[in-house]
Amino acid sequence: MSELAGRVALVTGGTRGIGLATARALAGAGATVVLTGRDAARAEAVAKEIGGHGLGLDVGDFDAVGAVVRRVVADHGGLDVLVANAGIMENALLGMVRADAVRRTLDVNVAGTVAAVQAAARAMARRRTDADGVPRQGGAIVLLASVVGTHGAAGQAVYAASKAAVAALARSAARELGPRGIRVNAVAPGVVRTDLTAVLPADVLDAQAAAAPLRRLGEPEEVADVIRFLAGDGARYVTGQVLGVDGGLVP
Ligand code: NAD
Protein backbone atom coordinates (compact mmCIF):
# COMPACT_ATOMS: atom_id res chain seq x y z
CA MET A 1 0.00 0.00 0.00
CA SER A 2 1.44 3.39 -0.94
CA GLU A 3 -1.41 5.75 -0.16
CA LEU A 4 0.97 8.07 1.67
CA ALA A 5 3.91 7.84 -0.78
CA GLY A 6 5.77 11.14 -1.05
CA ARG A 7 4.30 12.42 2.25
CA VAL A 8 6.24 13.29 5.37
CA ALA A 9 4.66 12.27 8.69
CA LEU A 10 5.65 13.19 12.24
CA VAL A 11 4.51 11.08 15.19
CA THR A 12 5.25 12.37 18.70
CA GLY A 13 5.77 9.79 21.43
CA GLY A 14 6.38 7.20 18.74
CA THR A 15 8.70 4.83 20.59
CA ARG A 16 6.01 2.49 21.94
CA GLY A 17 2.30 1.80 22.22
CA ILE A 18 -0.16 3.57 19.93
CA GLY A 19 2.52 5.97 18.67
CA LEU A 20 4.83 3.18 17.51
CA ALA A 21 1.95 1.24 15.91
CA THR A 22 0.95 4.45 14.12
CA ALA A 23 4.49 5.19 12.93
CA ARG A 24 4.65 1.64 11.57
CA ALA A 25 1.25 1.95 9.85
CA LEU A 26 2.16 5.27 8.22
CA ALA A 27 5.52 3.90 7.06
CA GLY A 28 3.69 0.84 5.71
CA ALA A 29 1.46 3.20 3.72
CA GLY A 30 4.55 4.71 2.09
CA ALA A 31 5.12 7.84 4.19
CA THR A 32 8.53 9.10 5.26
CA VAL A 33 8.08 8.85 9.03
CA VAL A 34 9.82 10.82 11.76
CA LEU A 35 9.03 9.64 15.28
CA THR A 36 10.03 11.36 18.47
CA GLY A 37 10.70 10.16 21.98
CA ARG A 38 12.05 11.77 25.12
CA ASP A 39 15.28 9.76 24.72
CA ALA A 40 16.87 10.62 21.36
CA ALA A 41 18.98 7.45 21.16
CA ARG A 42 15.95 5.25 21.79
CA ALA A 43 13.87 7.20 19.26
CA GLU A 44 16.58 6.70 16.65
CA ALA A 45 16.86 2.98 17.41
CA VAL A 46 13.10 2.40 17.24
CA ALA A 47 12.76 4.51 14.09
CA LYS A 48 15.47 2.47 12.40
CA GLU A 49 13.43 -0.71 12.97
CA ILE A 50 10.53 0.70 10.95
CA GLY A 51 12.67 2.41 8.32
CA GLY A 52 11.99 5.90 9.68
CA HIS A 53 13.89 8.68 11.43
CA GLY A 54 14.04 9.36 15.17
CA LEU A 55 14.44 12.59 17.11
CA GLY A 56 14.56 13.44 20.82
CA LEU A 57 11.72 15.65 22.09
CA ASP A 58 10.02 16.37 25.39
CA VAL A 59 6.63 17.72 24.32
CA GLY A 60 6.33 19.42 27.71
CA ASP A 61 8.82 21.96 26.29
CA PHE A 62 6.61 24.16 24.07
CA ASP A 63 9.44 25.78 22.12
CA ALA A 64 11.25 22.49 21.57
CA VAL A 65 8.16 21.11 19.81
CA GLY A 66 8.27 23.94 17.27
CA ALA A 67 12.00 23.42 16.77
CA VAL A 68 11.50 19.72 15.99
CA VAL A 69 8.78 20.47 13.45
CA ARG A 70 11.08 22.99 11.75
CA ARG A 71 13.88 20.42 11.75
CA VAL A 72 11.59 17.86 10.06
CA VAL A 73 10.67 20.41 7.40
CA ALA A 74 14.35 21.28 6.86
CA ASP A 75 15.40 17.62 6.65
CA HIS A 76 12.52 16.29 4.53
CA GLY A 77 11.21 19.28 2.57
CA GLY A 78 7.86 19.70 4.33
CA LEU A 79 5.29 18.15 6.62
CA ASP A 80 2.08 16.49 5.44
CA VAL A 81 0.89 14.49 8.46
CA LEU A 82 1.15 15.18 12.18
CA VAL A 83 0.05 12.66 14.78
CA ALA A 84 0.31 14.42 18.15
CA ASN A 85 0.31 11.24 20.17
CA ALA A 86 2.61 11.85 23.16
CA GLY A 87 0.65 11.85 26.38
CA ILE A 88 0.77 10.92 30.03
CA MET A 89 -1.81 9.58 32.46
CA GLU A 90 -1.39 10.07 36.21
CA ASN A 91 -4.28 8.60 38.14
CA ALA A 92 -5.47 9.98 41.49
CA LEU A 93 -8.77 10.51 43.24
CA LEU A 94 -9.64 14.21 43.35
CA GLY A 95 -8.84 14.52 47.04
CA MET A 96 -5.28 13.35 46.36
CA VAL A 97 -4.55 15.41 43.25
CA ARG A 98 -1.41 17.54 43.55
CA ALA A 99 -0.78 20.83 41.77
CA ASP A 100 2.43 19.61 40.14
CA ALA A 101 0.62 16.62 38.62
CA VAL A 102 -2.07 18.91 37.19
CA ARG A 103 0.58 21.17 35.64
CA ARG A 104 2.56 18.23 34.24
CA THR A 105 -0.53 16.67 32.66
CA LEU A 106 -1.68 19.94 31.11
CA ASP A 107 1.86 20.79 29.94
CA VAL A 108 2.34 17.48 28.13
CA ASN A 109 -1.18 16.56 27.01
CA VAL A 110 -2.56 20.01 26.23
CA ALA A 111 0.26 22.56 25.78
CA GLY A 112 2.44 19.98 24.00
CA THR A 113 -0.40 19.19 21.60
CA VAL A 114 -1.14 22.88 20.99
CA ALA A 115 2.56 23.47 20.23
CA ALA A 116 2.64 20.60 17.75
CA VAL A 117 -0.54 21.74 15.98
CA GLN A 118 0.69 25.33 15.79
CA ALA A 119 4.08 24.43 14.33
CA ALA A 120 2.64 21.80 11.97
CA ALA A 121 -0.02 24.19 10.70
CA ARG A 122 2.64 26.77 9.83
CA ALA A 123 4.58 24.17 7.86
CA MET A 124 1.53 22.64 6.15
CA ALA A 125 0.09 25.98 5.05
CA ARG A 126 3.12 26.60 2.83
CA ARG A 127 3.08 25.58 -0.84
CA ARG A 128 5.68 22.91 -1.50
CA THR A 129 6.62 20.02 -3.74
CA ASP A 130 6.62 16.55 -2.21
CA ALA A 131 9.29 13.87 -2.58
CA ASP A 132 7.49 12.55 -5.69
CA GLY A 133 7.45 16.02 -7.30
CA VAL A 134 3.74 16.58 -6.61
CA PRO A 135 2.81 20.18 -5.66
CA ARG A 136 1.16 20.21 -2.26
CA GLN A 137 -0.46 22.56 0.23
CA GLY A 138 -2.30 21.58 3.38
CA GLY A 139 -2.08 18.40 5.42
CA ALA A 140 -3.70 16.15 7.98
CA ILE A 141 -3.41 16.38 11.75
CA VAL A 142 -4.61 13.67 14.10
CA LEU A 143 -4.77 14.18 17.86
CA LEU A 144 -5.15 11.62 20.65
CA ALA A 145 -8.23 12.28 22.76
CA SER A 146 -9.86 9.56 24.89
CA VAL A 147 -13.26 8.16 25.81
CA VAL A 148 -12.66 9.43 29.34
CA GLY A 149 -12.54 12.97 27.94
CA THR A 150 -16.17 12.56 26.96
CA HIS A 151 -17.53 10.25 29.67
CA GLY A 152 -15.23 11.02 32.61
CA ALA A 153 -13.66 8.43 34.91
CA ALA A 154 -13.26 8.21 38.67
CA GLY A 155 -9.59 8.61 39.59
CA GLN A 156 -8.80 10.18 36.22
CA ALA A 157 -10.35 13.66 36.49
CA VAL A 158 -7.19 15.52 35.50
CA TYR A 159 -6.32 13.19 32.63
CA ALA A 160 -9.95 13.27 31.46
CA ALA A 161 -9.96 17.07 31.55
CA SER A 162 -6.77 17.16 29.47
CA LYS A 163 -8.30 14.84 26.87
CA ALA A 164 -11.53 16.86 26.71
CA ALA A 165 -9.26 19.82 25.96
CA VAL A 166 -7.59 17.87 23.15
CA ALA A 167 -10.99 17.08 21.60
CA ALA A 168 -11.95 20.76 21.78
CA LEU A 169 -8.60 21.67 20.26
CA ALA A 170 -9.23 19.34 17.30
CA ARG A 171 -12.66 20.85 16.64
CA SER A 172 -11.38 24.43 16.96
CA ALA A 173 -8.21 23.90 14.91
CA ALA A 174 -10.31 22.26 12.18
CA ARG A 175 -12.35 25.48 11.92
CA GLU A 176 -9.28 27.71 11.81
CA LEU A 177 -7.15 25.62 9.50
CA GLY A 178 -9.73 24.15 7.09
CA PRO A 179 -9.55 27.14 4.72
CA ARG A 180 -5.83 26.41 4.31
CA GLY A 181 -6.45 22.78 3.37
CA ILE A 182 -5.45 21.40 6.74
CA ARG A 183 -7.75 18.77 8.25
CA VAL A 184 -7.71 18.20 12.00
CA ASN A 185 -9.34 15.19 13.63
CA ALA A 186 -8.92 13.24 16.83
CA VAL A 187 -9.33 9.62 17.78
CA ALA A 188 -10.81 8.81 21.16
CA PRO A 189 -9.55 5.35 22.11
CA GLY A 190 -11.22 3.27 24.79
CA VAL A 191 -8.87 1.08 26.81
CA VAL A 192 -5.99 -0.06 24.62
CA ARG A 193 -3.32 -2.51 25.80
CA THR A 194 -0.16 -0.39 26.18
CA ASP A 195 2.27 0.60 28.94
CA LEU A 196 -0.08 3.49 29.77
CA THR A 197 -2.92 1.17 30.79
CA ALA A 198 -0.71 -1.61 32.17
CA VAL A 199 -0.70 0.31 35.48
CA LEU A 200 -4.47 -0.16 35.88
CA PRO A 201 -5.57 -3.01 38.19
CA ALA A 202 -6.53 -6.25 36.44
CA ASP A 203 -10.14 -6.06 37.69
CA VAL A 204 -10.51 -2.56 36.18
CA LEU A 205 -9.18 -3.79 32.82
CA ASP A 206 -11.49 -6.83 32.95
CA ALA A 207 -14.47 -4.59 33.73
CA GLN A 208 -13.60 -2.29 30.81
CA ALA A 209 -13.32 -5.25 28.46
CA ALA A 210 -16.67 -6.62 29.67
CA ALA A 211 -18.35 -3.21 29.29
CA ALA A 212 -17.38 -2.90 25.63
CA PRO A 213 -19.89 -4.43 23.21
CA LEU A 214 -16.95 -6.07 21.44
CA ARG A 215 -16.07 -7.62 24.86
CA ARG A 216 -12.34 -7.01 24.78
CA LEU A 217 -9.68 -4.31 25.13
CA GLY A 218 -8.21 -2.63 22.08
CA GLU A 219 -4.81 -3.20 20.51
CA PRO A 220 -2.48 -0.33 19.47
CA GLU A 221 -2.67 -1.42 15.82
CA GLU A 222 -6.45 -1.01 15.87
CA VAL A 223 -6.08 2.66 16.79
CA ALA A 224 -3.20 3.08 14.33
CA ASP A 225 -5.37 1.83 11.44
CA VAL A 226 -7.97 4.52 12.14
CA ILE A 227 -5.28 7.20 12.45
CA ARG A 228 -3.82 6.10 9.11
CA PHE A 229 -7.29 6.41 7.57
CA LEU A 230 -7.76 9.92 8.98
CA ALA A 231 -4.28 10.90 7.75
CA GLY A 232 -4.95 9.70 4.21
CA ASP A 233 -6.98 10.84 1.22
CA GLY A 234 -9.81 8.45 2.06
CA ALA A 235 -10.69 10.97 4.76
CA ARG A 236 -10.20 14.06 2.54
CA TYR A 237 -13.66 15.49 3.41
CA VAL A 238 -13.44 14.65 7.12
CA THR A 239 -12.36 17.31 9.59
CA GLY A 240 -13.25 18.43 13.12
CA GLN A 241 -14.26 14.90 14.14
CA VAL A 242 -13.49 13.02 17.34
CA LEU A 243 -13.79 9.39 16.38
CA GLY A 244 -14.27 6.73 19.04
CA VAL A 245 -12.02 3.66 18.68
CA ASP A 246 -13.37 1.89 21.72
CA GLY A 247 -15.13 -1.35 20.86
CA GLY A 248 -18.45 0.48 21.25
CA LEU A 249 -17.84 1.41 24.88
CA VAL A 250 -20.62 3.55 26.40
CA PRO A 251 -20.65 5.09 29.88
P1 NAD B 1 2.33 4.86 26.17
O1 NAD B 1 2.62 5.31 27.57
O2 NAD B 1 2.57 3.46 25.78
O3 NAD B 1 3.08 5.79 25.14
C1 NAD B 1 3.07 7.18 25.29
C2 NAD B 1 4.18 7.76 24.47
O4 NAD B 1 4.26 9.16 24.74
C3 NAD B 1 5.52 7.16 24.85
O5 NAD B 1 6.28 6.99 23.68
C4 NAD B 1 6.12 8.21 25.76
O6 NAD B 1 7.51 8.21 25.79
C5 NAD B 1 5.58 9.47 25.11
N1 NAD B 1 5.63 10.60 26.00
C6 NAD B 1 5.07 10.73 27.22
N2 NAD B 1 5.38 11.91 27.75
C7 NAD B 1 6.15 12.55 26.84
C8 NAD B 1 6.79 13.78 26.80
N3 NAD B 1 6.74 14.66 27.81
N4 NAD B 1 7.50 14.11 25.70
C9 NAD B 1 7.58 13.26 24.68
N5 NAD B 1 7.01 12.06 24.65
C10 NAD B 1 6.30 11.71 25.73
O7 NAD B 1 0.82 5.29 25.90
P2 NAD B 1 -0.23 4.93 24.76
O8 NAD B 1 -1.28 4.13 25.40
O9 NAD B 1 0.43 4.45 23.54
O10 NAD B 1 -0.84 6.37 24.56
C11 NAD B 1 -0.61 7.17 23.42
C12 NAD B 1 -1.63 8.28 23.41
O11 NAD B 1 -2.94 7.71 23.34
C13 NAD B 1 -1.60 9.16 24.67
O12 NAD B 1 -1.85 10.50 24.30
C14 NAD B 1 -2.75 8.60 25.48
O13 NAD B 1 -3.27 9.55 26.37
C15 NAD B 1 -3.72 8.23 24.39
N6 NAD B 1 -4.73 7.25 24.80
C16 NAD B 1 -4.35 5.99 25.18
C17 NAD B 1 -5.33 5.09 25.58
C18 NAD B 1 -5.01 3.69 26.01
O14 NAD B 1 -5.92 2.99 26.46
N7 NAD B 1 -3.79 3.22 25.91
C19 NAD B 1 -6.66 5.48 25.59
C20 NAD B 1 -7.01 6.76 25.19
C21 NAD B 1 -6.02 7.63 24.79
Side-chain angles (χ1 to χ4, degrees):
M1 200 194 319
S2 56
E3 188 194 353
L4 297 176
R7 316 253 175 118
V8 177
L10 172 64
V11 181
T12 65
T15 54
R16 62 174 198 239
I18 293 169
L20 175 55
T22 299
R24 195 175 271 128
L26 297 177
T32 297
V33 174
V34 182
L35 63 82
T36 72
R38 272 170 293 190
D39 178 346
R42 179 158 163 66
E44 281 166 28
V46 172
K48 212 169 163 190
E49 283 170 30
I50 63 154
H53 309 270
L55 292 173
L57 171 66
D58 181 344
V59 302
D61 180 345
F62 197 95
D63 294 335
V65 178
V68 158
V69 171
R70 288 191 293 277
R71 163 95 189 265
V72 172
V73 171
D75 287 353
H76 302 286
L79 181 67
D80 303 290
V81 174
L82 165 73
V83 182
N85 165 80
I88 54 172
M89 179 179 83
E90 295 187 34
N91 298 326
L93 292 170
L94 268 172
M96 308 294 283
V97 167
R98 293 170 52 99
D100 59 342
V102 178
R103 289 194 196 98
R104 204 161 40 239
T105 301
L106 296 182
D107 265 356
V108 173
N109 293 4
V110 182
T113 305
V114 171
V117 172
Q118 181 188 66
R122 285 180 182 143
M124 290 172 176
R126 281 199 288 272
R127 286 180 198 283
R128 57 202 184 273
T129 306
D130 78 12
D132 291 345
V134 179
R136 207 176 287 294
Q137 186 180 24
I141 296 174
V142 185
L143 309 184
L144 269 291
S146 169
V147 281
V148 303
T150 315
H151 304 321
Q156 295 190 320
V158 177
Y159 176 72
S162 78
K163 291 299 176 178
V166 168
L169 171 62
R171 294 190 183 101
S172 304
R175 288 180 182 273
E176 270 192 45
L177 302 175
R180 285 187 261 169
I182 302 168
R183 298 184 297 102
V184 189
N185 294 289
V187 289
V191 181
V192 180
R193 293 198 307 141
T194 66
D195 290 357
L196 187 95
T197 51
V199 299
L200 298 171
D203 59 323
V204 170
L205 293 175
D206 289 347
Q208 291 294 325
L214 292 182
R215 295 288 186 271
R216 61 177 177 82
L217 302 179
E219 300 297 334
E221 293 73 20
E222 293 173 318
V223 181
D225 281 346
V226 178
I227 294 174
R228 185 191 52 199
F229 162 69
L230 289 171
D233 291 346
R236 62 193 172 279
Y237 201 53
V238 180
T239 196
Q241 302 303 304
V242 180
L243 186 50
V245 188
D246 56 11
L249 202 63
V250 287

